[in-house]
Amino acid sequence: MIATRLEPSPTLKSALDAIARDNYFAEEGRFNKSDILASRLANYVKALGALGLDCEWSRHLLTESVYPIDATQRNLNRIAADPPALDGLVDWAGMTRERSSLNPAILLLTENSD
């Protein structure tokens, strides 16, 4: 993994904290890809949508304490206090420049319940 730390936008920080709080100890600490409830995923997608964000292609990365957001310039501009240019972070050479599961993701990393 290659990562770049982003400072969250002050206007979204409390809403992002609420997402982490609402999902803390999700499914009794078993918030894994194999057992995530459809309702949990739907609630997460709805919470992101309310912030103008999405996880259409990165949702498979959702686990307890890891909340994915599609890495698009639009999402970066919404979530980061000082958004970098996505094209400057990722070498797109040889990749189809469509949103897909192979694209990079923005991950909100939070405390785990264990």
Side-chain angles (χ1 to χ4, degrees), residues 19-45 55 59-68 108 110-114:
I19 288 172
R21 218 176 17 258
D22 291 346
N23 289 289
Y24 187 77
F25 205 66
E27 274 69 274
E28 300 175 359
R30 298 182 320 275
F31 192 27
N32 299 315
K33 295 174 192 103
S34 61
D35 67 0
I36 187 170
L37 297 174
S39 59
R40 177 76 62 190
L41 180 57
N43 289 338
Y44 177 66
V45 169
C55 64
R59 68 188 179 280
H60 66 283
L61 300 171
L62 181 63
T63 60
E64 183 185 15
S65 78
V66 178
Y67 306 100
L108 303 178
T110 65
E111 289 188 33
N112 185 308
S113 67
D114 317 37

Short mmCIF file of all heavy atoms in Angstrom, two decimals, residues 19-45 55 59-68 108 110-114:
data_model
loop_
_atom_site.label_atom_id
_atom_site.label_comp_id
_atom_site.label_asym_id
_atom_site.label_seq_id
_atom_site.Cartn_x
_atom_site.Cartn_y
_atom_site.Cartn_z
N ILE A 19 -19.93 8.78 11.44
CA ILE A 19 -19.93 7.51 10.71
C ILE A 19 -19.13 6.47 11.49
O ILE A 19 -19.58 5.33 11.67
CB ILE A 19 -19.37 7.70 9.29
CG1 ILE A 19 -20.39 8.45 8.43
CG2 ILE A 19 -19.02 6.34 8.65
CD1 ILE A 19 -19.87 8.85 7.06
N ALA A 20 -17.96 6.85 11.97
CA ALA A 20 -17.13 5.92 12.74
C ALA A 20 -17.82 5.53 14.04
O ALA A 20 -17.83 4.36 14.42
CB ALA A 20 -15.77 6.55 13.02
N ARG A 21 -18.42 6.49 14.72
CA ARG A 21 -19.12 6.22 15.98
C ARG A 21 -20.30 5.28 15.76
O ARG A 21 -20.52 4.34 16.52
CB ARG A 21 -19.59 7.55 16.57
CG ARG A 21 -19.51 7.66 18.04
CD ARG A 21 -19.89 9.01 18.62
NE ARG A 21 -20.64 9.90 17.77
CZ ARG A 21 -20.12 10.95 17.11
NH1 ARG A 21 -18.83 11.22 17.20
NH2 ARG A 21 -20.89 11.72 16.36
N ASP A 22 -21.07 5.52 14.70
CA ASP A 22 -22.25 4.69 14.42
C ASP A 22 -21.87 3.25 14.07
O ASP A 22 -22.68 2.34 14.25
CB ASP A 22 -23.06 5.27 13.27
CG ASP A 22 -23.74 6.58 13.64
OD1 ASP A 22 -23.80 6.90 14.86
OD2 ASP A 22 -24.20 7.28 12.72
N ASN A 23 -20.67 3.04 13.57
CA ASN A 23 -20.26 1.71 13.15
C ASN A 23 -19.28 1.06 14.12
O ASN A 23 -18.80 -0.04 13.88
CB ASN A 23 -19.64 1.77 11.76
CG ASN A 23 -20.69 2.04 10.72
OD1 ASN A 23 -21.52 1.20 10.41
ND2 ASN A 23 -20.69 3.25 10.18
N TYR A 24 -18.98 1.74 15.23
CA TYR A 24 -18.08 1.17 16.22
C TYR A 24 -18.70 -0.11 16.77
O TYR A 24 -19.88 -0.15 17.09
CB TYR A 24 -17.83 2.18 17.35
CG TYR A 24 -16.78 1.73 18.32
CD1 TYR A 24 -15.44 1.81 17.99
CD2 TYR A 24 -17.13 1.21 19.55
CE1 TYR A 24 -14.46 1.39 18.87
CE2 TYR A 24 -16.16 0.79 20.44
CZ TYR A 24 -14.83 0.88 20.10
OH TYR A 24 -13.86 0.45 20.97
N PHE A 25 -17.92 -1.15 16.85
CA PHE A 25 -18.37 -2.45 17.32
C PHE A 25 -19.50 -3.01 16.46
O PHE A 25 -20.41 -3.67 16.94
CB PHE A 25 -18.78 -2.40 18.80
CG PHE A 25 -18.67 -3.73 19.49
CD1 PHE A 25 -17.44 -4.32 19.68
CD2 PHE A 25 -19.80 -4.39 19.94
CE1 PHE A 25 -17.34 -5.54 20.31
CE2 PHE A 25 -19.70 -5.62 20.57
CZ PHE A 25 -18.47 -6.20 20.76
N ALA A 26 -19.45 -2.70 15.18
CA ALA A 26 -20.47 -3.19 14.24
C ALA A 26 -20.49 -4.71 14.24
O ALA A 26 -19.46 -5.36 14.31
CB ALA A 26 -20.19 -2.66 12.85
N GLU A 27 -21.68 -5.27 14.13
CA GLU A 27 -21.87 -6.72 14.12
C GLU A 27 -21.03 -7.40 15.21
O GLU A 27 -20.36 -8.39 14.98
CB GLU A 27 -21.53 -7.31 12.75
CG GLU A 27 -22.67 -7.29 11.76
CD GLU A 27 -23.03 -5.88 11.30
OE1 GLU A 27 -23.84 -5.24 12.01
OE2 GLU A 27 -22.54 -5.44 10.27
N GLU A 28 -21.05 -6.81 16.41
CA GLU A 28 -20.35 -7.36 17.58
C GLU A 28 -18.88 -7.62 17.31
O GLU A 28 -18.31 -8.62 17.74
CB GLU A 28 -21.06 -8.61 18.08
CG GLU A 28 -22.50 -8.33 18.49
CD GLU A 28 -23.24 -9.58 18.88
OE1 GLU A 28 -22.67 -10.68 18.83
OE2 GLU A 28 -24.42 -9.45 19.26
N GLY A 29 -18.23 -6.71 16.59
CA GLY A 29 -16.81 -6.83 16.33
C GLY A 29 -16.48 -7.71 15.14
O GLY A 29 -15.31 -7.95 14.85
N ARG A 30 -17.49 -8.20 14.43
CA ARG A 30 -17.25 -9.05 13.26
C ARG A 30 -17.62 -8.32 11.98
O ARG A 30 -18.22 -8.87 11.08
CB ARG A 30 -18.07 -10.34 13.36
CG ARG A 30 -17.74 -11.19 14.54
CD ARG A 30 -18.57 -12.47 14.53
NE ARG A 30 -19.96 -12.26 14.13
CZ ARG A 30 -20.95 -11.88 14.92
NH1 ARG A 30 -20.71 -11.62 16.19
NH2 ARG A 30 -22.17 -11.74 14.46
N PHE A 31 -17.30 -7.06 11.90
CA PHE A 31 -17.64 -6.24 10.74
C PHE A 31 -16.64 -6.57 9.63
O PHE A 31 -15.73 -5.81 9.34
CB PHE A 31 -17.58 -4.77 11.17
CG PHE A 31 -18.16 -3.80 10.21
CD1 PHE A 31 -19.15 -4.13 9.33
CD2 PHE A 31 -17.71 -2.50 10.22
CE1 PHE A 31 -19.68 -3.19 8.47
CE2 PHE A 31 -18.23 -1.54 9.37
CZ PHE A 31 -19.21 -1.90 8.49
N ASN A 32 -16.80 -7.77 9.07
CA ASN A 32 -15.89 -8.26 8.04
C ASN A 32 -16.59 -8.30 6.69
O ASN A 32 -17.80 -8.35 6.61
CB ASN A 32 -15.41 -9.68 8.37
CG ASN A 32 -14.65 -9.72 9.68
OD1 ASN A 32 -13.81 -8.88 9.94
ND2 ASN A 32 -14.96 -10.70 10.51
N LYS A 33 -15.81 -8.36 5.63
CA LYS A 33 -16.38 -8.41 4.28
C LYS A 33 -17.33 -9.60 4.11
O LYS A 33 -18.31 -9.52 3.40
CB LYS A 33 -15.26 -8.50 3.26
CG LYS A 33 -14.39 -7.28 3.22
CD LYS A 33 -13.22 -7.52 2.27
CE LYS A 33 -12.21 -6.44 2.44
NZ LYS A 33 -11.04 -6.79 3.18
N SER A 34 -17.02 -10.70 4.77
CA SER A 34 -17.81 -11.91 4.56
C SER A 34 -19.15 -11.91 5.29
O SER A 34 -20.04 -12.67 4.93
CB SER A 34 -17.00 -13.13 4.99
OG SER A 34 -16.69 -13.05 6.37
N ASP A 35 -19.29 -11.08 6.32
CA ASP A 35 -20.53 -11.14 7.08
C ASP A 35 -21.21 -9.79 7.26
O ASP A 35 -22.08 -9.64 8.10
CB ASP A 35 -20.30 -11.79 8.44
CG ASP A 35 -19.44 -10.96 9.38
OD1 ASP A 35 -18.99 -9.86 8.98
OD2 ASP A 35 -19.19 -11.41 10.50
N ILE A 36 -20.87 -8.81 6.45
CA ILE A 36 -21.50 -7.50 6.59
C ILE A 36 -22.97 -7.59 6.19
O ILE A 36 -23.33 -8.21 5.20
CB ILE A 36 -20.76 -6.43 5.75
CG1 ILE A 36 -21.34 -5.06 6.05
CG2 ILE A 36 -20.78 -6.74 4.30
CD1 ILE A 36 -20.54 -3.92 5.46
N LEU A 37 -23.80 -7.00 7.01
CA LEU A 37 -25.23 -7.00 6.73
C LEU A 37 -25.54 -5.99 5.62
O LEU A 37 -24.94 -4.92 5.56
CB LEU A 37 -26.01 -6.62 7.99
CG LEU A 37 -25.88 -7.57 9.18
CD1 LEU A 37 -26.60 -6.98 10.39
CD2 LEU A 37 -26.42 -8.94 8.84
N ALA A 38 -26.49 -6.35 4.77
CA ALA A 38 -26.90 -5.44 3.69
C ALA A 38 -27.38 -4.11 4.27
O ALA A 38 -27.11 -3.05 3.71
CB ALA A 38 -27.98 -6.09 2.84
N SER A 39 -28.06 -4.16 5.40
CA SER A 39 -28.56 -2.93 6.02
C SER A 39 -27.40 -2.04 6.48
O SER A 39 -27.48 -0.82 6.40
CB SER A 39 -29.47 -3.25 7.19
OG SER A 39 -28.79 -4.02 8.16
N ARG A 40 -26.33 -2.64 6.95
CA ARG A 40 -25.16 -1.87 7.39
C ARG A 40 -24.54 -1.16 6.19
O ARG A 40 -24.22 0.01 6.25
CB ARG A 40 -24.14 -2.79 8.05
CG ARG A 40 -22.86 -2.13 8.48
CD ARG A 40 -22.96 -1.29 9.71
NE ARG A 40 -23.33 -2.12 10.84
CZ ARG A 40 -23.66 -1.63 12.02
NH1 ARG A 40 -23.68 -0.34 12.23
NH2 ARG A 40 -24.01 -2.42 13.00
N LEU A 41 -24.38 -1.89 5.08
CA LEU A 41 -23.83 -1.29 3.87
C LEU A 41 -24.75 -0.18 3.36
O LEU A 41 -24.30 0.91 3.00
CB LEU A 41 -23.62 -2.34 2.79
CG LEU A 41 -23.04 -1.85 1.48
CD1 LEU A 41 -21.70 -1.15 1.67
CD2 LEU A 41 -22.90 -3.00 0.50
N ALA A 42 -26.06 -0.43 3.36
CA ALA A 42 -27.02 0.58 2.89
C ALA A 42 -26.95 1.84 3.75
O ALA A 42 -26.99 2.96 3.22
CB ALA A 42 -28.44 0.00 2.90
N ASN A 43 -26.85 1.67 5.05
CA ASN A 43 -26.74 2.83 5.95
C ASN A 43 -25.45 3.60 5.71
O ASN A 43 -25.44 4.83 5.76
CB ASN A 43 -26.84 2.40 7.41
CG ASN A 43 -28.24 1.97 7.78
OD1 ASN A 43 -29.22 2.33 7.13
ND2 ASN A 43 -28.34 1.16 8.82
N TYR A 44 -24.37 2.89 5.45
CA TYR A 44 -23.09 3.54 5.17
C TYR A 44 -23.17 4.34 3.87
O TYR A 44 -22.77 5.50 3.82
CB TYR A 44 -21.97 2.50 5.12
CG TYR A 44 -20.64 3.11 4.76
CD1 TYR A 44 -20.01 3.99 5.63
CD2 TYR A 44 -20.02 2.83 3.55
CE1 TYR A 44 -18.80 4.57 5.31
CE2 TYR A 44 -18.81 3.40 3.22
CZ TYR A 44 -18.20 4.27 4.10
OH TYR A 44 -17.00 4.85 3.77
N VAL A 45 -23.72 3.72 2.83
CA VAL A 45 -23.87 4.40 1.54
C VAL A 45 -24.74 5.64 1.70
O VAL A 45 -24.44 6.71 1.16
CB VAL A 45 -24.45 3.44 0.48
CG1 VAL A 45 -24.86 4.18 -0.78
CG2 VAL A 45 -23.44 2.34 0.16
N CYS A 55 -19.14 5.40 -2.48
CA CYS A 55 -18.21 4.25 -2.40
C CYS A 55 -18.64 3.19 -3.40
O CYS A 55 -18.52 2.00 -3.14
CB CYS A 55 -18.15 3.69 -0.98
SG CYS A 55 -19.71 3.01 -0.40
N ARG A 59 -16.61 -0.07 -2.15
CA ARG A 59 -17.40 -0.63 -1.04
C ARG A 59 -16.88 -1.98 -0.55
O ARG A 59 -17.06 -2.32 0.62
CB ARG A 59 -18.87 -0.74 -1.42
CG ARG A 59 -19.14 -1.78 -2.49
CD ARG A 59 -20.56 -1.76 -2.99
NE ARG A 59 -20.76 -2.75 -4.02
CZ ARG A 59 -20.42 -2.61 -5.28
NH1 ARG A 59 -19.85 -1.50 -5.68
NH2 ARG A 59 -20.62 -3.58 -6.15
N HIS A 60 -16.21 -2.74 -1.41
CA HIS A 60 -15.70 -4.05 -1.01
C HIS A 60 -14.61 -3.95 0.05
O HIS A 60 -14.27 -4.94 0.69
CB HIS A 60 -15.18 -4.82 -2.24
CG HIS A 60 -13.97 -4.19 -2.86
ND1 HIS A 60 -14.04 -3.08 -3.66
CD2 HIS A 60 -12.67 -4.52 -2.78
CE1 HIS A 60 -12.83 -2.74 -4.05
NE2 HIS A 60 -11.99 -3.60 -3.53
N LEU A 61 -14.09 -2.75 0.28
CA LEU A 61 -13.06 -2.54 1.29
C LEU A 61 -13.63 -2.24 2.67
O LEU A 61 -12.89 -2.15 3.64
CB LEU A 61 -12.14 -1.38 0.87
CG LEU A 61 -11.39 -1.57 -0.45
CD1 LEU A 61 -10.69 -0.28 -0.85
CD2 LEU A 61 -10.41 -2.73 -0.35
N LEU A 62 -14.95 -2.12 2.78
CA LEU A 62 -15.59 -1.77 4.05
C LEU A 62 -15.41 -2.88 5.07
O LEU A 62 -15.78 -4.04 4.85
CB LEU A 62 -17.09 -1.51 3.82
CG LEU A 62 -17.92 -1.11 5.03
CD1 LEU A 62 -17.44 0.22 5.61
CD2 LEU A 62 -19.39 -1.02 4.65
N THR A 63 -14.79 -2.54 6.17
CA THR A 63 -14.65 -3.43 7.32
C THR A 63 -14.70 -2.57 8.57
O THR A 63 -14.67 -1.34 8.49
CB THR A 63 -13.31 -4.21 7.31
OG1 THR A 63 -12.23 -3.28 7.33
CG2 THR A 63 -13.19 -5.12 6.12
N GLU A 64 -14.75 -3.20 9.72
CA GLU A 64 -14.78 -2.43 10.95
C GLU A 64 -13.53 -1.56 11.04
O GLU A 64 -12.42 -2.05 10.86
CB GLU A 64 -14.83 -3.36 12.17
CG GLU A 64 -14.94 -2.58 13.45
CD GLU A 64 -14.86 -3.45 14.68
OE1 GLU A 64 -14.47 -4.61 14.57
OE2 GLU A 64 -15.20 -2.95 15.74
N SER A 65 -13.72 -0.31 11.24
CA SER A 65 -12.70 0.73 11.40
C SER A 65 -12.03 1.16 10.09
O SER A 65 -11.13 1.97 10.11
CB SER A 65 -11.65 0.35 12.45
OG SER A 65 -10.71 -0.56 11.93
N VAL A 66 -12.49 0.65 8.95
CA VAL A 66 -11.99 1.06 7.64
C VAL A 66 -13.20 1.40 6.77
O VAL A 66 -13.99 0.52 6.43
CB VAL A 66 -11.15 -0.05 6.95
CG1 VAL A 66 -10.70 0.40 5.57
CG2 VAL A 66 -9.96 -0.43 7.82
N TYR A 67 -13.34 2.68 6.47
CA TYR A 67 -14.50 3.17 5.73
C TYR A 67 -14.07 3.73 4.39
O TYR A 67 -13.45 4.79 4.33
CB TYR A 67 -15.25 4.21 6.58
CG TYR A 67 -15.60 3.65 7.93
CD1 TYR A 67 -14.84 3.96 9.05
CD2 TYR A 67 -16.65 2.77 8.07
CE1 TYR A 67 -15.14 3.42 10.28
CE2 TYR A 67 -16.95 2.21 9.30
CZ TYR A 67 -16.19 2.54 10.40
OH TYR A 67 -16.48 1.98 11.62
N PRO A 68 -14.36 3.02 3.29
CA PRO A 68 -13.87 3.43 1.98
C PRO A 68 -14.73 4.50 1.31
O PRO A 68 -15.95 4.54 1.50
CB PRO A 68 -13.93 2.13 1.18
CG PRO A 68 -15.09 1.40 1.78
CD PRO A 68 -15.05 1.73 3.24
N LEU A 108 -11.09 6.02 5.40
CA LEU A 108 -11.16 6.63 6.73
C LEU A 108 -10.76 5.53 7.71
O LEU A 108 -11.44 4.51 7.82
CB LEU A 108 -12.58 7.10 7.03
CG LEU A 108 -13.21 8.08 6.06
CD1 LEU A 108 -14.63 8.39 6.48
CD2 LEU A 108 -12.39 9.34 5.97
N THR A 110 -10.18 4.37 11.52
CA THR A 110 -10.62 4.76 12.86
C THR A 110 -10.26 3.67 13.87
O THR A 110 -9.74 2.63 13.50
CB THR A 110 -12.14 5.00 12.88
OG1 THR A 110 -12.81 3.77 12.62
CG2 THR A 110 -12.55 6.03 11.84
N GLU A 111 -10.60 3.92 15.12
CA GLU A 111 -10.36 2.92 16.15
C GLU A 111 -11.20 1.67 15.91
O GLU A 111 -12.31 1.76 15.42
CB GLU A 111 -10.67 3.49 17.53
CG GLU A 111 -9.68 4.51 17.98
CD GLU A 111 -9.91 4.92 19.42
OE1 GLU A 111 -10.35 4.07 20.23
OE2 GLU A 111 -9.65 6.09 19.72
N ASN A 112 -10.65 0.54 16.29
CA ASN A 112 -11.29 -0.76 16.17
C ASN A 112 -11.87 -1.15 17.52
O ASN A 112 -11.34 -0.75 18.55
CB ASN A 112 -10.23 -1.75 15.68
CG ASN A 112 -10.76 -3.11 15.39
OD1 ASN A 112 -11.42 -3.70 16.21
ND2 ASN A 112 -10.43 -3.62 14.23
N SER A 113 -12.92 -1.95 17.54
CA SER A 113 -13.56 -2.31 18.81
C SER A 113 -12.82 -3.39 19.59
O SER A 113 -13.15 -3.64 20.74
CB SER A 113 -14.98 -2.78 18.57
OG SER A 113 -15.00 -4.00 17.87
N ASP A 114 -11.85 -4.06 18.96
CA ASP A 114 -11.17 -5.13 19.70
C ASP A 114 -10.12 -4.54 20.60
O ASP A 114 -9.11 -4.17 20.38
CB ASP A 114 -10.46 -6.13 18.79
CG ASP A 114 -11.23 -6.54 17.58
OD1 ASP A 114 -11.92 -5.72 17.01
OD2 ASP A 114 -11.11 -7.71 17.20
#
